[in-house]
Amino acid sequence: MSDAGLNRIDGVYVGNMLSGCLQRQENLGTMMANAIGLTGVSVAKVESACASGGVALHVGVNAIASGANDLVMVAGVEKMTSQPNPNVTAGLMGAEDQMTVAGSGISFVGLNAMIAQAYMDKFSVPPEKIARFPVVCHKHALNSPHAQFKKSVTVDDVLNSPMVADPIRLYECSGIGDGAAAVILASEEKAREITDSPILVAASAVANDTQSLHQRSDMTTFDASVTSSRKAYERAKVSAEDIDVLEVHDAFSILGVMALEDLGFVEKGKGTTLLEDGQIEVGGMIPTNTFGGLKARGHPVGATGVYQIVEVAKQLRGEAGRNQVAGAETGYAQNIGGIGSTITGHILARMD
Ligand SMILES: CC(C)(COP(=O)(O)OP(=O)(O)OC[C@H]1O[C@@H](n2cnc3c(N)ncnc32)[C@H](O)[C@@H]1OP(=O)(O)O)[C@@H](O)C(=O)NCCC(=O)NCCS
């Protein structure tokens, strides 16, 4: 609110997944509004697993577009470190069907391990090619003031890190951490009144898929990623070639590789070719996760989708510091909930 020079807004929408489960705290919409001294405004907590932040943004965008609200805060927040990791892992499995999947004891690392193995088999991709994705994220995080893991790692470090769920190793997993991020939304007219550097939400799209992997015919693509991105490109009247900066949901590095394909940046099965020659690094063809992504910036789950929006907005405002993408005008953010079962696609653009 201080960045936007505001002391009053009329809506607060909070993305969060685990507060009820880990802190026994619900009603976050009114709690956050109270914390900033507000009563009498529209409030809601929005829960869509790890896509809670992205879906909260979608709700906020629709509240502005419909005229229901004039000035809205969309926040994402998660506190994961107040409980031991096994409790957090069990809480995260709340995104899955309790009867058919979660009850088996498998974790999200395990589910993504099945995807990674299927992908490597189908496209004959060795682990060392996928291992380049977290190397780039860690490199970008070195210049990211709010990153969780600020250390440089090599492909060898990734390949020698402990196995978590075969074939996924520690340095291919996002971590467990706390975090929060927030943006203010307004109509175009209002935004121009309150700031000299407004950023347009050119498209806000959501698509879902089946809740679980065994209900799908192909584990190596996320249909909801393809569908949400095509909806977003159509609404913003752009294509993948127009995107200057990209945020993808690399909760596990295999998901980062698949996102490059599903969002239309490279042919299916060829995602790792973009990891060669610095093509997803700042200065490359499609700079990706320029603040470190979920792997190195962190993945406080309900906050992640809003972090991505803040980071794309910073790039478009020229405020990304040493990782600034020169001349960035259009950015895309992909946020995934569950095992690709709810996916958001947001396209942001400079308004000048
Ligand atoms: C991978 C995972 C199981 C590791 O948890 P853990 O074994 O309990 O690890 P700890 O928290 O005890 O940390 C042990 C060490 O590993 C490091 N570490 C933990 N997770 C890490 C990660 N993802 N990447 C890099 N380092 C990590 C810690 O910093 C710590 O280092 P130190 O010994 O130098 O201090 C945990 O990070 C995890 O569950 N990640 C996935 C989260 C998830 O599923 N999110 C939702 C996605 S849909």
Side-chain angles (χ1 to χ4, degrees), residues 50 80 85 89 92 108-109 112 138 149 164 170-171 173-176 249 251-252 295 299 301 338:
C50 299
M80 302 169 82
N85 283 4
T89 297
L92 289 168
F108 264 99
V109 196
N112 283 276
H138 275 270
F149 296 114
V164 181
L170 184 66
Y171 284 177
C173 299
S174 57
I176 285 174
H249 190 104
F252 302 95
K295 174 68 208 77
H299 183 29
V301 290

Side-chain angles (χ1 to χ4, degrees), residues 23-297:
Q23 288 90 35
R24 296 191 188 173
Q25 181 64 63
E26 292 290 13
N27 213 359
L28 295 192
T30 208
M31 191 179 201
M32 187 169 292
N34 287 177
I36 50 180
L38 296 175
T39 54
V41 304
S42 325
V43 293
K45 166 177 164 172
V46 179
E47 190 283 312
S48 288
C50 299
S52 297
V55 177
L57 189 78
H58 186 67
V59 170
V61 167
N62 286 337
I64 296 291
S66 69
N69 288 118
D70 287 328
L71 280 167
V72 156
M73 175 185 288
V74 173
V77 61
E78 206 72 67
K79 183 168 179 57
M80 302 169 82
T81 60
S82 60
Q83 294 263 352
N85 283 4
N87 295 9
V88 178
T89 297
L92 289 168
M93 284 307 286
E96 261 295 348
D97 187 316
Q98 298 302 299
M99 296 288 282
T100 58
V101 176
S104 73
I106 197 166
S107 68
F108 264 99
V109 196
L111 291 170
N112 283 276
M114 293 200 289
I115 291 178
Q117 192 61 59
Y119 183 96
M120 293 194 304
D121 289 348
K122 182 169 180 181
F123 300 112
S124 303
V125 173
E128 55 270 27
K129 291 204 166 178
I130 297 169
R132 291 184 185 145
F133 198 95
V135 170
V136 174
C137 292
H138 275 270
K139 184 175 175 185
H140 287 164
L142 292 176
N143 293 326
S144 172
H146 53 275
Q148 180 180 14
F149 296 114
K150 281 179 124 175
K151 75 171 188 184
S152 181
V153 303
T154 63
V155 167
D156 279 348
D157 292 334
V158 176
L159 296 177
N160 291 319
S161 64
M163 187 66 83
V164 181
D166 192 3
I168 292 183
R169 292 178 181 274
L170 184 66
Y171 284 177
E172 296 171 295
C173 299
S174 57
I176 285 174
D178 305 335
V183 293
I184 300 286
L185 302 179
S187 65
E188 185 173 341
E189 192 185 2
K190 189 92 181 164
R192 286 192 192 279
E193 275 172 33
I194 59 179
T195 174
D196 293 332
S197 52
I199 298 298
L200 179 72
V201 182
S204 174
V206 183
N208 83 313
D209 197 354
T210 61
Q211 191 166 17
S212 305
L213 282 179
H214 65 270
Q215 298 163 306
R216 298 182 200 160
S217 56
D218 185 358
M219 290 200 286
T220 64
T221 183
F222 281 162
D223 283 353
S225 196
V226 176
T227 309
S228 54
S229 61
R230 298 319 181 263
K231 283 191 204 182
Y233 294 145
E234 195 179 323
R235 286 176 197 165
K237 299 187 175 53
V238 299
S239 62
E241 291 85 66
D242 299 308
I243 304 300
D244 302 313
V245 59
L246 177 64
E247 286 292 323
V248 296
H249 190 104
D250 63 319
F252 302 95
S253 302
I254 182 62
L255 299 186
V257 172
M258 279 166 55
L260 296 171
E261 302 165 358
D262 290 341
L263 301 179
F265 292 94
V266 65
E267 196 183 319
K268 196 70 219 163
K270 301 268 195 259
T272 56
T273 62
L274 281 186
L275 310 182
E276 291 159 12
D277 310 323
Q279 294 188 75
I280 67 161
E281 294 182 28
V282 173
M285 188 189 97
I286 179 65
T288 301
N289 292 2
T290 63
F291 287 78
L294 280 63
K295 174 68 208 77
R297 175 249 288 129

